[in-house]
Amino acid sequence: CFRMFYDHVTIEVVAGAGGNGCVSFRRETFVPRGGPDGGDGGKGGDIIVEASSRLSTLVDLHYQRLYKAQRGAHGRGKSCRGRNGKDVVILVPPGSVITDTADGRVLAELLADGEREIVARGGRGGLGNERFKSSRNRAPRTAKPGAPGNARKLEITLRLIADVGLVGEPNSGKSTLLSVVSAAHPEIADYPFTT
């Protein structure tokens, strides 16, 4: 099976938003003043990039350009906290450099197998009304919504180390030799520093 070799790709990642906090009150038969019991929302899922030695090209990222993590579940009554969103792990070959296209900043350079970097963090879960109770406010009816997750456009470049290099004087036949022994098509001309 023939696969194209890709060493440069641009993808979009969206981390999960946090779940909303809940407004709820205890309703039990023999508890006249039950008070608030709204739980917090869960944290949104992160986007993680991990180096894997099983890969040698960025071909999988070429076909899937958008990665979204799961949002956190909303809080519920009875002090039930929402479940955290699942993280999304993007596998890349070792030697990959991840750059944020917005400002050109290098976020990570993954060289060894198993190295990981969080490139987009999930949003924090919102607070339920149980967190706002106090001696003055015994029945708070406020809860906070979850924070949105980070969204980024990333440029991933695979750095390659050549197995063989040709060194020699200008016009000594390096490009001609390369075109004869491989399928490469370098520019060949009679002036120095052509390629």
Side-chain angles (χ1 to χ4, degrees), residues 21-176:
C22 175
V23 175
S24 173
F25 295 93
R26 290 177 62 186
R27 289 178 176 85
E28 297 173 29
T29 310
F30 300 107
V31 184
R33 293 179 182 161
D37 68 348
D40 300 341
K43 177 188 169 296
D46 297 331
I47 305 285
I48 301 168
V49 179
E50 181 179 343
S52 172
S53 59
R54 292 178 291 147
L55 299 175
S56 60
T57 177
L58 299 171
V59 68
D60 297 331
L61 303 183
H62 176 74
Y63 294 111
Q64 184 179 349
R65 297 290 181 105
L66 177 65
Y67 292 87
K68 281 186 170 182
Q70 188 180 36
R71 80 167 293 153
H74 301 311
R76 293 190 307 239
K78 297 185 180 177
S79 304
C80 289
R81 186 181 187 279
R83 187 177 60 245
N84 291 343
K86 289 183 182 175
D87 298 337
V88 170
V89 179
I90 302 171
L91 297 177
V92 295
S96 298
V97 180
I98 298 111
T99 309
D100 191 348
T101 58
D103 55 5
R105 187 167 47 99
V106 174
L107 301 175
E109 186 173 352
L110 307 176
L111 301 175
D113 184 35
E115 269 191 89
R116 306 179 111 200
E117 183 71 27
I118 298 174
V119 292
R121 294 195 177 273
R124 195 178 62 246
L127 302 177
N129 69 334
E130 187 178 28
R131 297 287 194 120
F132 297 100
K133 68 181 177 182
S134 65
S135 58
R136 291 188 171 197
N137 187 6
R138 294 185 182 181
R141 296 184 179 274
T142 58
K144 290 200 172 180
N150 292 348
R152 279 187 166 145
K153 203 168 186 182
L154 303 177
E155 196 174 79
I156 301 177
T157 308
L158 179 60
R159 287 190 179 169
L160 300 173
I161 298 172
D163 293 328
V164 177
L166 294 175
V167 180
E169 296 287 326
N171 286 12
S172 62
K174 298 183 298 293
S175 299
T176 306

